[in-house]
Structure formats: C-alpha cells, structure tokens
Amino acid sequence: MKTLEKISQFAGSTFALWVLLFAALSFYVPEGFTWIAPYIVPLLGIIMFGMGLTLSKKDFLEVFKRPKDVAIGVGAQFILMPLLAFLLVTILPVSPEVAVGVILVGCCPGGTSSNVMTYLSKGDTALSVAITSVSTILAPLFTPFLVWIFASQWLPVSAGDLFLSIVNVVLLPIILGVGVKTIFKEKVEATIKALPLISVISIVAIVAAVVSVNHTQIAETGATIFAIVVVHNLLGYLTGYGLGKLFNMEPIKKRAVSIEVGMQNSGLGASLAAVHFSPLAAVPSAIFSVWHNISGPIIATIFRKQKEVKSTDHHYTKSA
C-alpha cells in the first residue's frame, strides 16, 4: 500500500505533465486513443465517486460557518464564467459547436484541481473545498439552465437531458462515495491516498479521448479555441480576485475565490459535450483541462510569492 501511495503522490504532483504528454500523443497518434471515447462518461463517474469518498462533515459544516463567503464563490462561478464565455464566443468568429463547447465549460462547476491549487497558493483551502462541493451539488440545476439560456441560439439545447446526465455522472457517484465512506470509514481511509492516481488516470484518459477523436478539427481551429480558453480562464482568475476585493475579503479568501472561479470541471464539460452535442463541442473542455494545469500552478506560485513578499516586508518593518 505504501508503494501505491508513493506512486499516487508522484502522479498527483506531476499531473500537468501527464495531461500535456498524453494530449500531444493523442494528437499525433490518434488511433492509439480513440477507443477510450465511449468510456468518457464512466471515467467522469469514477472521478466524482472519488470526490465523494474525500468529502467529510467538516466540508459541509464550513458552508454553514461562513455562508456569505461560499455564496460569493458559488455565485461568481455560475454568473461570471458563463457570461465571460458567452461574450467571448459572441465577439470572436467560431463555429456553433465550438461556441456551445466554450459556453458549456463556462457553465460547469469548479473542478477539484482548484482545491489543490488553492492549497499550493497558501489560500483558504477549506473555503475552496466548500465552494467546489456546493457548486458541484448545485450543478444539476444551474448548468443545464445556464447552457439553455446562453447556448440555445447556436444549437438546440435540452436542459432536461443535461439535468439527467449531470445527476447520473456527478450527483449519484458523489452520494455513493459519501455513503461508502460513511459505512466503511476505516477501510476507505486506507484507500483514499490512492485516489490521486485514479483521478489522474481518468482525467488524462478523457483528454486523450477527446483530442484523438478531434485531432483534424484541432489542427484547423485549435489555435483560436486555445486563445479563447486562455482568455476565459485568465479573466476568471482576475474577476474572481476582483470580487474578493469588492467584498473586502482577506487575502487568503481572495486567492481561494480567484482560483475557484478560474478553474472549471473540464471533465464534466467534455462528457456533456460528447454526449449531448458533438465531439467538436468537447474540444474546448479538453483544451481547458490542458491549459488550467499550466495556468493553475503559475497563479498559485504568483499568490504564494505575493504572500512571501508581504510577510518579508512585515518582518522588515517590525525589525526596523
């Protein structure tokens, strides 16, 4: 078990490299990865089940301890990101499938990677986990409704079908994970350390599947989609941080909200796009998954350095 734990820790700490490596491999050798495409939805279910296993009473109590902070993060997630996505695809010339794909990822809840990045940034990790948990649980209601509002002008959207999909691939696996943890507490605690490995394999497989199926379209329009995804993500970080400032949040909370708003559950976006729209609509989510594993560590480092500089200045002032 200790060997598995070490492998899992290594996989978790080098996550970005694996995503980039397999995104590149699946682009240049697509035939080696297209077979994964039918398993995108079950893979996401595995990730969500893993999330359920890691949730505790403490995470939910955090919501009741500071509802205002959580509401700001969740509200920003479901208002700012869909609006930014809609504005970008309205301004820039993209195909209907790509437009819907960008909006879809913008309407998704926060991803679990945001919790790791908040921790690395020396931000408020407990708040980040609470926002991710609440936004994920609310996703069956908010994501279909928002996609229907913002994306219907490009392609037909069935909010009911999206709702059922999110319940099946997000809510039920999380509830199942929480239930399993409650019943088999000690046994689950022993296996939780292997979860990063399972999550890394699942996300990498989803990205590889989407890229392999769409390698031709990515070669033609990949640069435009990449530019949109980068701008969308960076605006998410900036507006999230700005919102924290507007509500006079402490620096650690501002970091948490910024990262939480900027990082989406791209696995959910990819699976919903592949099932309900087209393989091309899943490309923005796949590119987002690759990009936020680059931007996440960068923003975490910037925030951490900011903290170190401030603490050094404070120490200097006290010494003087």
PDB file of all heavy atoms in Angstrom, residues 60-87:
ATOM      1  N   PHE A  60     -18.952  20.276   4.825  1.00  0.00           N
ATOM      2  CA  PHE A  60     -20.314  20.823   4.745  1.00  0.00           C
ATOM      3  C   PHE A  60     -20.587  21.806   5.884  1.00  0.00           C
ATOM      4  O   PHE A  60     -21.332  22.770   5.714  1.00  0.00           O
ATOM      5  CB  PHE A  60     -21.337  19.684   4.738  1.00  0.00           C
ATOM      6  CG  PHE A  60     -21.268  18.847   3.493  1.00  0.00           C
ATOM      7  CD1 PHE A  60     -20.693  17.580   3.504  1.00  0.00           C
ATOM      8  CD2 PHE A  60     -21.753  19.331   2.279  1.00  0.00           C
ATOM      9  CE1 PHE A  60     -20.605  16.820   2.340  1.00  0.00           C
ATOM     10  CE2 PHE A  60     -21.673  18.582   1.115  1.00  0.00           C
ATOM     11  CZ  PHE A  60     -21.097  17.328   1.147  1.00  0.00           C
ATOM     12  N   LEU A  61     -19.959  21.560   7.045  1.00  0.00           N
ATOM     13  CA  LEU A  61     -20.117  22.496   8.167  1.00  0.00           C
ATOM     14  C   LEU A  61     -19.523  23.852   7.820  1.00  0.00           C
ATOM     15  O   LEU A  61     -19.995  24.890   8.266  1.00  0.00           O
ATOM     16  CB  LEU A  61     -19.436  21.943   9.424  1.00  0.00           C
ATOM     17  CG  LEU A  61     -20.157  20.787  10.130  1.00  0.00           C
ATOM     18  CD1 LEU A  61     -19.304  20.211  11.245  1.00  0.00           C
ATOM     19  CD2 LEU A  61     -21.504  21.248  10.688  1.00  0.00           C
ATOM     20  N   GLU A  62     -18.465  23.823   6.986  1.00  0.00           N
ATOM     21  CA  GLU A  62     -17.802  25.051   6.537  1.00  0.00           C
ATOM     22  C   GLU A  62     -18.801  25.974   5.837  1.00  0.00           C
ATOM     23  O   GLU A  62     -18.721  27.194   5.949  1.00  0.00           O
ATOM     24  CB  GLU A  62     -16.664  24.685   5.585  1.00  0.00           C
ATOM     25  CG  GLU A  62     -15.559  25.704   5.473  1.00  0.00           C
ATOM     26  CD  GLU A  62     -14.759  25.902   6.754  1.00  0.00           C
ATOM     27  OE1 GLU A  62     -14.496  24.911   7.466  1.00  0.00           O
ATOM     28  OE2 GLU A  62     -14.437  27.058   7.037  1.00  0.00           O
ATOM     29  N   VAL A  63     -19.740  25.380   5.112  1.00  0.00           N
ATOM     30  CA  VAL A  63     -20.758  26.142   4.374  1.00  0.00           C
ATOM     31  C   VAL A  63     -21.628  26.925   5.346  1.00  0.00           C
ATOM     32  O   VAL A  63     -21.964  28.094   5.114  1.00  0.00           O
ATOM     33  CB  VAL A  63     -21.643  25.192   3.516  1.00  0.00           C
ATOM     34  CG1 VAL A  63     -22.717  25.979   2.781  1.00  0.00           C
ATOM     35  CG2 VAL A  63     -20.778  24.404   2.538  1.00  0.00           C
ATOM     36  N   PHE A  64     -21.992  26.271   6.468  1.00  0.00           N
ATOM     37  CA  PHE A  64     -22.863  26.924   7.459  1.00  0.00           C
ATOM     38  C   PHE A  64     -22.102  27.896   8.351  1.00  0.00           C
ATOM     39  O   PHE A  64     -22.673  28.830   8.886  1.00  0.00           O
ATOM     40  CB  PHE A  64     -23.569  25.860   8.316  1.00  0.00           C
ATOM     41  CG  PHE A  64     -24.451  24.960   7.497  1.00  0.00           C
ATOM     42  CD1 PHE A  64     -24.056  23.664   7.188  1.00  0.00           C
ATOM     43  CD2 PHE A  64     -25.668  25.425   7.001  1.00  0.00           C
ATOM     44  CE1 PHE A  64     -24.868  22.836   6.407  1.00  0.00           C
ATOM     45  CE2 PHE A  64     -26.480  24.618   6.226  1.00  0.00           C
ATOM     46  CZ  PHE A  64     -26.072  23.322   5.927  1.00  0.00           C
ATOM     47  N   LYS A  65     -20.780  27.662   8.485  1.00  0.00           N
ATOM     48  CA  LYS A  65     -19.954  28.560   9.296  1.00  0.00           C
ATOM     49  C   LYS A  65     -19.811  29.918   8.623  1.00  0.00           C
ATOM     50  O   LYS A  65     -19.786  30.947   9.272  1.00  0.00           O
ATOM     51  CB  LYS A  65     -18.547  27.961   9.476  1.00  0.00           C
ATOM     52  CG  LYS A  65     -18.434  26.999  10.631  1.00  0.00           C
ATOM     53  CD  LYS A  65     -16.976  26.590  10.768  1.00  0.00           C
ATOM     54  CE  LYS A  65     -16.809  25.372  11.644  1.00  0.00           C
ATOM     55  NZ  LYS A  65     -15.422  24.847  11.563  1.00  0.00           N
ATOM     56  N   ARG A  66     -19.647  29.913   7.292  1.00  0.00           N
ATOM     57  CA  ARG A  66     -19.478  31.183   6.562  1.00  0.00           C
ATOM     58  C   ARG A  66     -20.214  31.149   5.233  1.00  0.00           C
ATOM     59  O   ARG A  66     -19.609  31.070   4.160  1.00  0.00           O
ATOM     60  CB  ARG A  66     -18.002  31.505   6.368  1.00  0.00           C
ATOM     61  CG  ARG A  66     -17.122  30.298   6.136  1.00  0.00           C
ATOM     62  CD  ARG A  66     -15.699  30.718   6.086  1.00  0.00           C
ATOM     63  NE  ARG A  66     -14.793  29.621   5.917  1.00  0.00           N
ATOM     64  CZ  ARG A  66     -13.563  29.753   5.498  1.00  0.00           C
ATOM     65  NH1 ARG A  66     -13.103  30.918   5.153  1.00  0.00           N
ATOM     66  NH2 ARG A  66     -12.763  28.720   5.395  1.00  0.00           N
ATOM     67  N   PRO A  67     -21.543  31.182   5.297  1.00  0.00           N
ATOM     68  CA  PRO A  67     -22.361  31.107   4.081  1.00  0.00           C
ATOM     69  C   PRO A  67     -22.102  32.220   3.075  1.00  0.00           C
ATOM     70  O   PRO A  67     -22.170  32.011   1.875  1.00  0.00           O
ATOM     71  CB  PRO A  67     -23.800  31.173   4.610  1.00  0.00           C
ATOM     72  CG  PRO A  67     -23.687  31.753   5.985  1.00  0.00           C
ATOM     73  CD  PRO A  67     -22.363  31.323   6.509  1.00  0.00           C
ATOM     74  N   LYS A  68     -21.747  33.430   3.598  1.00  0.00           N
ATOM     75  CA  LYS A  68     -21.528  34.572   2.701  1.00  0.00           C
ATOM     76  C   LYS A  68     -20.332  34.308   1.775  1.00  0.00           C
ATOM     77  O   LYS A  68     -20.414  34.504   0.563  1.00  0.00           O
ATOM     78  CB  LYS A  68     -21.289  35.846   3.519  1.00  0.00           C
ATOM     79  CG  LYS A  68     -21.134  37.102   2.657  1.00  0.00           C
ATOM     80  CD  LYS A  68     -20.707  38.294   3.497  1.00  0.00           C
ATOM     81  CE  LYS A  68     -20.293  39.459   2.611  1.00  0.00           C
ATOM     82  NZ  LYS A  68     -19.699  40.562   3.374  1.00  0.00           N
ATOM     83  N   ASP A  69     -19.216  33.846   2.346  1.00  0.00           N
ATOM     84  CA  ASP A  69     -18.004  33.577   1.557  1.00  0.00           C
ATOM     85  C   ASP A  69     -18.273  32.509   0.488  1.00  0.00           C
ATOM     86  O   ASP A  69     -17.856  32.647  -0.670  1.00  0.00           O
ATOM     87  CB  ASP A  69     -16.860  33.093   2.462  1.00  0.00           C
ATOM     88  CG  ASP A  69     -16.384  34.175   3.416  1.00  0.00           C
ATOM     89  OD1 ASP A  69     -16.670  35.361   3.144  1.00  0.00           O
ATOM     90  OD2 ASP A  69     -15.726  33.838   4.419  1.00  0.00           O
ATOM     91  N   VAL A  70     -18.974  31.440   0.897  1.00  0.00           N
ATOM     92  CA  VAL A  70     -19.276  30.342  -0.037  1.00  0.00           C
ATOM     93  C   VAL A  70     -20.217  30.839  -1.134  1.00  0.00           C
ATOM     94  O   VAL A  70     -20.028  30.537  -2.316  1.00  0.00           O
ATOM     95  CB  VAL A  70     -19.882  29.122   0.705  1.00  0.00           C
ATOM     96  CG1 VAL A  70     -20.298  28.037  -0.282  1.00  0.00           C
ATOM     97  CG2 VAL A  70     -18.875  28.561   1.711  1.00  0.00           C
ATOM     98  N   ALA A  71     -21.229  31.638  -0.737  1.00  0.00           N
ATOM     99  CA  ALA A  71     -22.198  32.171  -1.706  1.00  0.00           C
ATOM    100  C   ALA A  71     -21.513  33.064  -2.739  1.00  0.00           C
ATOM    101  O   ALA A  71     -21.861  33.026  -3.928  1.00  0.00           O
ATOM    102  CB  ALA A  71     -23.299  32.949  -0.980  1.00  0.00           C
ATOM    103  N   ILE A  72     -20.529  33.859  -2.300  1.00  0.00           N
ATOM    104  CA  ILE A  72     -19.786  34.727  -3.236  1.00  0.00           C
ATOM    105  C   ILE A  72     -19.069  33.867  -4.271  1.00  0.00           C
ATOM    106  O   ILE A  72     -19.133  34.125  -5.479  1.00  0.00           O
ATOM    107  CB  ILE A  72     -18.782  35.638  -2.475  1.00  0.00           C
ATOM    108  CG1 ILE A  72     -19.530  36.692  -1.664  1.00  0.00           C
ATOM    109  CG2 ILE A  72     -17.801  36.304  -3.449  1.00  0.00           C
ATOM    110  CD1 ILE A  72     -18.674  37.418  -0.630  1.00  0.00           C
ATOM    111  N   GLY A  73     -18.377  32.818  -3.813  1.00  0.00           N
ATOM    112  CA  GLY A  73     -17.633  31.934  -4.717  1.00  0.00           C
ATOM    113  C   GLY A  73     -18.533  31.182  -5.679  1.00  0.00           C
ATOM    114  O   GLY A  73     -18.270  31.135  -6.892  1.00  0.00           O
ATOM    115  N   VAL A  74     -19.622  30.621  -5.146  1.00  0.00           N
ATOM    116  CA  VAL A  74     -20.550  29.846  -5.981  1.00  0.00           C
ATOM    117  C   VAL A  74     -21.268  30.765  -6.969  1.00  0.00           C
ATOM    118  O   VAL A  74     -21.421  30.437  -8.152  1.00  0.00           O
ATOM    119  CB  VAL A  74     -21.571  29.075  -5.102  1.00  0.00           C
ATOM    120  CG1 VAL A  74     -22.647  28.411  -5.963  1.00  0.00           C
ATOM    121  CG2 VAL A  74     -20.856  28.028  -4.249  1.00  0.00           C
ATOM    122  N   GLY A  75     -21.701  31.940  -6.473  1.00  0.00           N
ATOM    123  CA  GLY A  75     -22.375  32.915  -7.337  1.00  0.00           C
ATOM    124  C   GLY A  75     -21.487  33.361  -8.489  1.00  0.00           C
ATOM    125  O   GLY A  75     -21.914  33.419  -9.647  1.00  0.00           O
ATOM    126  N   ALA A  76     -20.214  33.645  -8.172  1.00  0.00           N
ATOM    127  CA  ALA A  76     -19.257  34.064  -9.204  1.00  0.00           C
ATOM    128  C   ALA A  76     -19.041  32.948 -10.226  1.00  0.00           C
ATOM    129  O   ALA A  76     -18.962  33.193 -11.434  1.00  0.00           O
ATOM    130  CB  ALA A  76     -17.932  34.445  -8.557  1.00  0.00           C
ATOM    131  N   GLN A  77     -18.962  31.713  -9.726  1.00  0.00           N
ATOM    132  CA  GLN A  77     -18.752  30.540 -10.589  1.00  0.00           C
ATOM    133  C   GLN A  77     -19.865  30.422 -11.635  1.00  0.00           C
ATOM    134  O   GLN A  77     -19.607  30.202 -12.817  1.00  0.00           O
ATOM    135  CB  GLN A  77     -18.732  29.281  -9.711  1.00  0.00           C
ATOM    136  CG  GLN A  77     -18.511  27.984 -10.448  1.00  0.00           C
ATOM    137  CD  GLN A  77     -17.072  27.830 -10.881  1.00  0.00           C
ATOM    138  OE1 GLN A  77     -16.168  27.796 -10.082  1.00  0.00           O
ATOM    139  NE2 GLN A  77     -16.854  27.760 -12.177  1.00  0.00           N
ATOM    140  N   PHE A  78     -21.101  30.590 -11.180  1.00  0.00           N
ATOM    141  CA  PHE A  78     -22.243  30.375 -12.069  1.00  0.00           C
ATOM    142  C   PHE A  78     -22.753  31.642 -12.763  1.00  0.00           C
ATOM    143  O   PHE A  78     -23.677  31.564 -13.570  1.00  0.00           O
ATOM    144  CB  PHE A  78     -23.387  29.706 -11.307  1.00  0.00           C
ATOM    145  CG  PHE A  78     -23.157  28.241 -11.031  1.00  0.00           C
ATOM    146  CD1 PHE A  78     -23.250  27.735  -9.741  1.00  0.00           C
ATOM    147  CD2 PHE A  78     -22.860  27.363 -12.064  1.00  0.00           C
ATOM    148  CE1 PHE A  78     -23.047  26.382  -9.484  1.00  0.00           C
ATOM    149  CE2 PHE A  78     -22.662  26.008 -11.818  1.00  0.00           C
ATOM    150  CZ  PHE A  78     -22.750  25.521 -10.525  1.00  0.00           C
ATOM    151  N   ILE A  79     -22.183  32.799 -12.440  1.00  0.00           N
ATOM    152  CA  ILE A  79     -22.604  34.043 -13.119  1.00  0.00           C
ATOM    153  C   ILE A  79     -21.489  34.571 -14.012  1.00  0.00           C
ATOM    154  O   ILE A  79     -21.678  34.792 -15.212  1.00  0.00           O
ATOM    155  CB  ILE A  79     -23.049  35.122 -12.095  1.00  0.00           C
ATOM    156  CG1 ILE A  79     -24.304  34.653 -11.338  1.00  0.00           C
ATOM    157  CG2 ILE A  79     -23.325  36.447 -12.808  1.00  0.00           C
ATOM    158  CD1 ILE A  79     -24.659  35.495 -10.121  1.00  0.00           C
ATOM    159  N   LEU A  80     -20.289  34.761 -13.427  1.00  0.00           N
ATOM    160  CA  LEU A  80     -19.181  35.360 -14.182  1.00  0.00           C
ATOM    161  C   LEU A  80     -18.690  34.479 -15.329  1.00  0.00           C
ATOM    162  O   LEU A  80     -18.545  34.944 -16.464  1.00  0.00           O
ATOM    163  CB  LEU A  80     -18.009  35.670 -13.245  1.00  0.00           C
ATOM    164  CG  LEU A  80     -18.209  36.776 -12.214  1.00  0.00           C
ATOM    165  CD1 LEU A  80     -16.988  36.896 -11.311  1.00  0.00           C
ATOM    166  CD2 LEU A  80     -18.469  38.116 -12.903  1.00  0.00           C
ATOM    167  N   MET A  81     -18.446  33.183 -15.039  1.00  0.00           N
ATOM    168  CA  MET A  81     -17.845  32.318 -16.064  1.00  0.00           C
ATOM    169  C   MET A  81     -18.764  32.079 -17.271  1.00  0.00           C
ATOM    170  O   MET A  81     -18.313  32.148 -18.412  1.00  0.00           O
ATOM    171  CB  MET A  81     -17.374  31.005 -15.441  1.00  0.00           C
ATOM    172  CG  MET A  81     -16.172  31.177 -14.519  1.00  0.00           C
ATOM    173  SD  MET A  81     -14.775  32.065 -15.263  1.00  0.00           S
ATOM    174  CE  MET A  81     -13.818  30.703 -15.904  1.00  0.00           C
ATOM    175  N   PRO A  82     -20.071  31.811 -17.075  1.00  0.00           N
ATOM    176  CA  PRO A  82     -20.951  31.690 -18.250  1.00  0.00           C
ATOM    177  C   PRO A  82     -21.041  32.987 -19.052  1.00  0.00           C
ATOM    178  O   PRO A  82     -21.037  32.961 -20.281  1.00  0.00           O
ATOM    179  CB  PRO A  82     -22.318  31.332 -17.645  1.00  0.00           C
ATOM    180  CG  PRO A  82     -22.005  30.748 -16.315  1.00  0.00           C
ATOM    181  CD  PRO A  82     -20.781  31.468 -15.835  1.00  0.00           C
ATOM    182  N   LEU A  83     -21.108  34.127 -18.337  1.00  0.00           N
ATOM    183  CA  LEU A  83     -21.186  35.432 -19.018  1.00  0.00           C
ATOM    184  C   LEU A  83     -19.930  35.713 -19.835  1.00  0.00           C
ATOM    185  O   LEU A  83     -20.010  36.147 -20.990  1.00  0.00           O
ATOM    186  CB  LEU A  83     -21.373  36.553 -17.987  1.00  0.00           C
ATOM    187  CG  LEU A  83     -22.810  36.964 -17.659  1.00  0.00           C
ATOM    188  CD1 LEU A  83     -22.808  37.966 -16.517  1.00  0.00           C
ATOM    189  CD2 LEU A  83     -23.518  37.561 -18.879  1.00  0.00           C
ATOM    190  N   LEU A  84     -18.767  35.455 -19.244  1.00  0.00           N
ATOM    191  CA  LEU A  84     -17.494  35.660 -19.953  1.00  0.00           C
ATOM    192  C   LEU A  84     -17.406  34.765 -21.183  1.00  0.00           C
ATOM    193  O   LEU A  84     -16.974  35.202 -22.253  1.00  0.00           O
ATOM    194  CB  LEU A  84     -16.311  35.377 -19.010  1.00  0.00           C
ATOM    195  CG  LEU A  84     -16.070  36.388 -17.883  1.00  0.00           C
ATOM    196  CD1 LEU A  84     -15.042  35.858 -16.889  1.00  0.00           C
ATOM    197  CD2 LEU A  84     -15.617  37.731 -18.453  1.00  0.00           C
ATOM    198  N   ALA A  85     -17.835  33.508 -21.034  1.00  0.00           N
ATOM    199  CA  ALA A  85     -17.813  32.563 -22.160  1.00  0.00           C
ATOM    200  C   ALA A  85     -18.722  33.050 -23.284  1.00  0.00           C
ATOM    201  O   ALA A  85     -18.336  33.047 -24.462  1.00  0.00           O
ATOM    202  CB  ALA A  85     -18.260  31.178 -21.688  1.00  0.00           C
ATOM    203  N   PHE A  86     -19.913  33.497 -22.916  1.00  0.00           N
ATOM    204  CA  PHE A  86     -20.886  33.991 -23.897  1.00  0.00           C
ATOM    205  C   PHE A  86     -20.346  35.206 -24.647  1.00  0.00           C
ATOM    206  O   PHE A  86     -20.445  35.294 -25.880  1.00  0.00           O
ATOM    207  CB  PHE A  86     -22.196  34.351 -23.180  1.00  0.00           C
ATOM    208  CG  PHE A  86     -23.238  34.952 -24.082  1.00  0.00           C
ATOM    209  CD1 PHE A  86     -23.958  34.167 -24.978  1.00  0.00           C
ATOM    210  CD2 PHE A  86     -23.502  36.323 -24.049  1.00  0.00           C
ATOM    211  CE1 PHE A  86     -24.917  34.732 -25.813  1.00  0.00           C
ATOM    212  CE2 PHE A  86     -24.452  36.890 -24.872  1.00  0.00           C
ATOM    213  CZ  PHE A  86     -25.164  36.087 -25.767  1.00  0.00           C
ATOM    214  N   LEU A  87     -19.745  36.144 -23.905  1.00  0.00           N
ATOM    215  CA  LEU A  87     -19.185  37.345 -24.530  1.00  0.00           C
ATOM    216  C   LEU A  87     -18.054  36.998 -25.500  1.00  0.00           C
ATOM    217  O   LEU A  87     -17.988  37.534 -26.608  1.00  0.00           O
ATOM    218  CB  LEU A  87     -18.665  38.310 -23.457  1.00  0.00           C
ATOM    219  CG  LEU A  87     -19.736  39.021 -22.623  1.00  0.00           C
ATOM    220  CD1 LEU A  87     -19.104  39.766 -21.459  1.00  0.00           C
ATOM    221  CD2 LEU A  87     -20.561  39.987 -23.478  1.00  0.00           C
TER     222      LEU A  87
END
